[in-house]
Amino acid sequence: MANKGLQFEWCIYHTVSMVNPKKFANDTNSKTAKINYASSDKSVQKDAQNAVQMIENKYGKIKDIEKTSGGGVEPKTDLYISCVNKNIKCSLKHGGSIQLSSGGIKNTVNFLTGVLLNLAKTKGYNSTQIKSILYVLSELDNKYGDLGKMQRTKADVVIGKSEKYNELLQNILGSSKNPVVSEQYENIKLAIIEEAITGKFTFGPTSKLSADHILSEKKLELVTKDLIKRVSDKTSVRIALKGRGKEMIAGKEVRLNEVVVRFDTKA
């Protein structure tokens, strides 16, 4: 298992389950975690042990753990952890940076539209400005939302024609050169970043699927306004290509790409 983020998740699960093996004796995830722990890097195993210690130092002994990711829906919580003093919903990060999203056009437009529609109902937000953004997002979806996987030559053409939408997204969400947006869009960006981290609009703030903590190998952080602002000021967006495997075309193996909206957050 090459993905260290996934290794980290399974290693935490295994570390917790080993404290009370009888409790997890018939737990399917515990059996999978044991196998994945054994094949994980030694450094990640140690990181997981440190992460468990950080949780217990802050919230008391861990009583139970539940893996919420991996089903049909993609929650923001990876592990729901019950401690003596508090139940926490952890979004896991390993390796320094926070990966907010790197999805296809349609999924990203649906995500942004959902956040903006919620904001339009909220006092203090400019509904006219939001409607204007929604109109352009709808246009983006209509043009590029159903393209799916394609060969690189076609993908390059699509990227070349998408500059108008790339500019709009970067005005709202920042570019790599200028991740901090203007005051005009700051509150909108903060709301989008908060939803990307927590999923509170999508799943509801009390759902197990909406995260309230970020857990990395270095620290455990409660999601606060300060954290959201810190992440927001380091986050940019761009329309880019993402590799989507290969397929045989006319007897030749051809690499495929998809046009995606990528959120990049500097470490």
Side-chain angles (χ1 to χ4, degrees), residues 197-214:
I197 292 173
T198 67
K200 73 172 190 177
F201 281 143
T202 303
F203 303 109
T206 61
S207 169
K208 285 184 179 180
L209 305 183
S210 59
D212 57 18
H213 283 73
I214 294 178

Side-chain angles (χ1 to χ4, degrees), residues 6 12 29 31 39 112 132 139 146 163 180:
L6 197 53
I12 291 172
N29 281 329
K31 294 174 183 177
S39 63
L112 293 174
S132 175
E139 193 177 282
D146 295 317
E163 185 55 36
V180 179

Side-chain angles (χ1 to χ4, degrees), residues 10-22:
W10 283 116
C11 286
I12 291 172
Y13 197 102
H14 176 70
T15 301
V16 172
S17 66
M18 285 304 295
V19 174
N20 189 352
K22 286 186 178 179

Side-chain angles (χ1 to χ4, degrees), residues 94-121:
H94 190 276
S97 63
I98 296 176
Q99 178 65 52
L100 295 178
S101 176
S102 182
I105 297 292
K106 182 171 287 294
N107 287 341
T108 301
V109 168
N110 288 342
F111 162 69
L112 293 174
T113 298
V115 177
L116 290 167
L117 286 174
N118 273 291
L119 291 183
K121 302 172 190 174

Side-chain angles (χ1 to χ4, degrees), residues 187-255:
N187 286 337
I188 290 176
K189 181 178 181 181
L190 288 170
I192 289 169
I193 297 301
E194 180 178 13
E195 179 62 13
I197 292 173
T198 67
K200 73 172 190 177
F201 281 143
T202 303
F203 303 109
T206 61
S207 169
K208 285 184 179 180
L209 305 183
S210 59
D212 57 18
H213 283 73
I214 294 178
L215 175 63
S216 71
E217 71 273 27
K218 294 181 179 179
K219 55 188 171 181
L220 171 67
E221 290 188 278
L222 177 68
V223 178
T224 62
K225 289 184 178 180
D226 286 344
L227 183 146
I228 291 164
K229 179 72 165 73
R230 193 168 75 242
V231 173
S232 176
D233 286 348
K234 294 179 179 180
T235 298
S236 60
V237 69
R238 58 193 168 97
I239 296 177
L241 297 182
K242 186 171 186 176
R244 295 298 193 193
K246 305 173 184 177
E247 72 176 16
M248 297 300 292
I249 299 177
K252 294 182 179 181
E253 191 174 64
V254 177
R255 291 183 181 275

